[in-house]
Amino acid sequence: MIYLDNAATTFPKPDSVWEAVVDCGRNSCGNPGRSGHPLAAAAAREIFAAREALAEFFNAGDSSRIVFTCNATAALNTALYGYLTDGGHVITSSMEHNSVMRPLHTLQQQGRITLTVVPCSPRGELDPDDVKRAVQADTRLVVLTHASNVCGTILPVADVKQRLPEVPLLVDAAQTAGALPIDIVQSGIDMLAFAGHKGLLGPMGTGGLYVAPSLRLAPLMQGGTGSRSEDLAHPGFMPDALEAGTPNVPGICGLHAGVRFLQETGVATVRAHEISLTRLLIDGLAGHDRIRIHGPADPLRQTAVVSVTINGRDPGAIARSLDRDFGIACRASLHCAPLAHQTLGTCPEGTVRLSMSYFNTLDDMQQAVRALHAIAEQEEA
């Protein structure tokens, strides 16, 4: 199988990730912060080490500002519901995933916020000045995806923050953490939601949220933390304020191993390889008159995500043929981002999404090109 569904979750993972998960389960899988015995203490050390590694990886400074969640969706909900308790005006883009749009839609329907969705270009590009023009007197938050999960377009989050230094910025880095360099200090990001199981190469069930020291969030959940158990009020200090309940210790150990792999390999090395994969795929598909590439079609302006359609063919049927006839795993349809597809002009059918990782090869891309050409030509016959 050629696996080209890395935007959903990366596969394969480095061997060190699974070794870390197994080692944790055998040797340090007590409940951290709850007990004083050696297994609990070992688990607490593992959690702290992973938090420190992520803070270093994102240049986040104080590692206590990194909280662990079960995925990027949970991180985004924690940020949106936790920060927007007093309502206000929110700005977002038309390229957002439903993990952003559904919570914002719910808050809007409940009358708790007002919302402006800034339209992007038909290639998914966002003009930072359009975001600035959308600001109102009560604007409390800007929420932007770092890169589209549909077509890979990279949004200019740092440029937006530069134009609006006074408005907190929440970035959805589900598609970019581990794939693009992210420097929280340099970019001015106030909150960063990330998936552990995608570009960071950790197991599923892992993710996290960075929250700037200047922001205080109400907890999405309350309960056991192992700290201040005598107090019925949930702890207000980080990270305990946003981490209730037993954490996914084996998963976090695996995530830590994924981050170590990226630190040793270098995100720049990962990015360079993924650019070469994306370029080969785009160049191979661009010349066919029945295949249309959606998005920038420029490997320097997008992540390693390429969305295509074939004239007269259903995206689902194309994906099934790629799987059944060519052994290529990908994803079709709307990718949980209907507004993005409306922006690209691919709604309601959607697209076929091919998404690569560091572990794909140039030969994988050549085989994908040949397969899509064959499918397009079968329809012509």
Side-chain angles (χ1 to χ4, degrees):
M1 180 182 67
I2 297 174
Y3 184 81
L4 299 180
D5 195 20
N6 290 279
T9 194
T10 48
F11 177 84
K13 314 286 187 184
D15 290 341
S16 59
V17 169
W18 303 122
E19 290 165 1
V21 172
V22 172
D23 182 69
C24 174
R26 287 175 174 166
N27 302 310
S28 55
C29 207
N31 203 325
R34 273 68 171 176
S35 308
H37 56 72
L39 283 179
R45 287 193 296 270
E46 293 289 352
I47 296 291
F48 178 76
R51 209 185 303 275
E52 287 276 289
L54 284 161
E56 179 183 355
F57 189 76
F58 294 127
N59 192 25
D62 181 2
S63 68
S64 72
R65 308 306 301 184
I66 300 277
V67 297
F68 290 111
T69 63
C70 61
N71 48 47
T73 299
L76 288 162
N77 275 261
T78 298
L80 293 170
Y81 284 101
Y83 181 67
L84 295 170
T85 52
D86 295 328
H89 174 241
V90 179
I91 302 171
T92 192
S93 85
S94 67
M95 292 302 292
E96 304 303 312
H97 189 276
N98 275 343
S99 294
V100 168
M101 293 310 306
R102 283 179 171 171
L104 290 179
H105 173 74
T106 298
L107 288 166
Q108 183 184 40
Q109 291 296 106
Q110 292 172 345
R112 295 165 62 182
I113 66 167
T114 57
L115 179 64
T116 297
V117 179
V118 176
C120 294
S121 78
R123 292 182 297 274
E125 298 155 328
L126 176 69
D127 185 340
D129 290 325
D130 288 344
V131 179
K132 185 175 182 178
R133 282 189 283 268
V135 172
Q136 301 176 7
D138 63 340
T139 299
R140 291 205 66 218
L141 185 67
V142 174
V143 190
L144 295 174
T145 185
H146 195 186
S148 168
N149 72 305
V150 175
C151 62
T153 307
I154 300 169
L155 271 62
V157 295
D159 292 340
V160 169
K161 184 61 181 179
Q162 189 176 35
R163 286 164 173 77
L164 299 171
E166 72 286 357
V167 181
L169 172 65
L170 167 59
V171 172
D172 175 3
Q175 294 295 320
T176 56
L180 299 180
I182 297 175
D183 187 314
I184 284 172
V185 172
Q186 186 177 23
S187 60
I189 294 170
D190 299 284
M191 291 186 281
L192 182 81
F194 57 90
H197 64 102
K198 297 186 182 184
L200 292 176
L201 304 175
M204 283 187 270
T206 59
L209 175 69
Y210 162 80
V211 182
S214 59
L215 301 182
R216 183 180 177 87
L217 274 60
L220 189 64
M221 297 187 298
Q222 301 181 49
T225 60
S227 58
R228 298 193 178 172
S229 296
E230 74 282 0
D231 194 343
L232 290 180
H234 193 76
F237 55 85
M238 294 282 280
D240 297 40
L242 302 178
E243 287 185 355
T246 299
N248 177 7
V249 181
I252 293 170
C253 287
L255 172 57
H256 186 193
V259 172
R260 284 200 306 267
F261 177 88
L262 291 167
Q263 288 171 322
E264 292 165 2
T265 304
V267 175
T269 300
V270 172
R271 175 64 176 154
H273 179 62
E274 292 188 353
I275 285 173
S276 67
L277 297 173
T278 308
R279 177 176 286 115
L280 182 57
L281 183 60
I282 289 173
D283 289 349
L285 297 176
H288 199 290
D289 60 1
R290 301 200 67 210
I291 299 174
R292 182 180 175 191
I293 301 170
H294 300 274
D298 180 349
L300 300 181
R301 294 160 56 208
Q302 66 187 80
T303 56
V305 175
V306 177
S307 260
V308 302
T309 51
I310 297 176
N311 292 347
R313 296 296 304 273
D314 174 69
I318 298 168
R320 286 192 294 273
S321 179
L322 287 169
D323 179 26
R324 180 186 64 241
D325 303 326
F326 301 95
I328 296 174
C330 64
R331 182 174 173 183
S333 194
L334 295 178
H335 315 101
C336 301
L339 289 191
H341 281 281
Q342 290 176 21
T343 301
L344 298 171
T346 53
C347 207
E349 292 82 8
T351 61
V352 177
R353 184 184 72 185
L354 310 173
S355 51
M356 291 70 76
S357 85
Y358 181 68
F359 296 103
N360 284 114
T361 66
L362 296 177
D363 183 65
D364 291 342
M365 300 301 95
Q366 291 167 345
Q367 292 193 54
V369 168
R370 286 194 293 267
L372 284 165
H373 277 239
I375 292 170
E377 288 156 12
Q378 285 170 4
E379 179 65 13
E380 273 187 334

